[in-house]
Amino acid sequence: AQSVTQLDSHVSVSEGTPVLLRCNYSSSYSPSLFWYVQHPNKGLQLLLKYTSAATLVKGINGFEAEFKKSETSFHLTKPSAHMSDAAEYFCVVSFTGGGNKLTFGTGTQLKVEL
Amino acid sequence: EAEVAQSPRYKITEKSQAVAFWCDPISGHATLYWYRQILGQGPELLVQFQDESVVDDSQLPKDRFSAERLKGVDSTLKIQPAELGDSAMYLCASSLTLAGVRNNEQFFGPGTRLTVL
């Protein structure tokens, strides 16, 4: 079985400060991991994905995530938050033998304040 | 840029009524997914198609939900009869191929927000 746990349901940061959204995963197989973002009234958009290549993955809009197998973590970071980053973020796991099935975390709502 | 289309965007219905949602995937995408996202939760897969065939419908409440993709292109998800607990966002996604190709990105549509009164 595979699952992800997003450790914070809400995160609030000031504009220009770093962002850290935490995610731990559980998978019986070598996982693939993703971060998706969901803005209000818009579809889910892929930020980045880990596919067993480099453990530090760079995504769009300045986001990156590091796969740490020993900690079973895949935390999402950004050096400097922008107001436009305010959205819901989902950590997602899948594995090749699972038919590309995605298992989503419960989401972290990111608030960016002036 | 190609997008997944869904309609309607919003639907309000009364319990025991029938509702239907439509999805048109990105052209050329053989795999189509329907997800349900309850408020405050992450999306959960309801059904997955490869072309016109159902690959996974293990989480689809088959007593009231049905899904079809007759020509392997667009798809319809139906609920009959609707219940109060069906209020949620219904998301459609598509991807190029199924298993064997690692980590095919799924592209999501804007969703249909269903409210059952």
Side-chain angles (χ1 to χ4, degrees), chain B residues 10-71:
Chain B
Y10 304 91
K11 179 70 177 178
I12 300 174
T13 190
E14 294 184 346
K15 64 180 182 179
S16 79
Q17 296 298 304
V19 292
F21 314 129
W22 177 80
C23 171
D24 191 13
I26 293 172
S27 178
H29 281 196
T31 312
L32 184 147
Y33 313 80
W34 283 101
Y35 290 86
R36 176 172 60 186
Q37 184 178 16
I38 296 171
L39 190 64
Q41 299 181 20
E44 179 185 33
L45 180 70
L46 290 175
V47 61
Q48 179 178 341
F49 288 92
Q50 176 68 17
D51 299 308
E52 67 276 7
S53 300
V54 173
V55 173
D56 183 353
D57 63 356
S58 58
Q59 300 303 311
L60 188 71
K62 298 181 187 63
D63 57 335
R64 297 185 301 108
F65 286 64
S66 64
E68 60 183 18
R69 192 183 184 199
L70 294 177
K71 297 182 179 179

Side-chain angles (χ1 to χ4, degrees), chain A residues 24-97:
Chain A
N24 286 103
Y25 70 90
S26 173
S27 176
S28 302
Y29 303 88
S30 179
S32 300
L33 293 157
F34 311 77
W35 277 96
Y36 278 82
V37 60
Q38 187 174 37
H39 288 92
N41 299 315
K42 291 190 176 181
L44 288 154
Q45 181 184 20
L46 180 67
L47 276 179
L48 50 80
K49 62 182 178 182
Y50 165 75
T51 60
S52 77
T55 55
L56 182 61
V57 182
K58 294 187 183 299
I60 61 172
N61 300 334
F63 284 94
E64 62 181 38
E66 186 171 7
F67 174 72
K68 292 186 176 180
K69 187 175 181 178
S70 61
E71 299 177 9
T72 60
S73 69
F74 191 58
H75 301 333
L76 181 70
T77 60
K78 182 173 180 178
S80 177
H82 191 272
M83 293 296 290
S84 61
D85 295 328
E88 183 109 28
Y89 291 80
F90 292 95
C91 183
V92 184
V93 65
S94 76
F95 64 95
T96 304

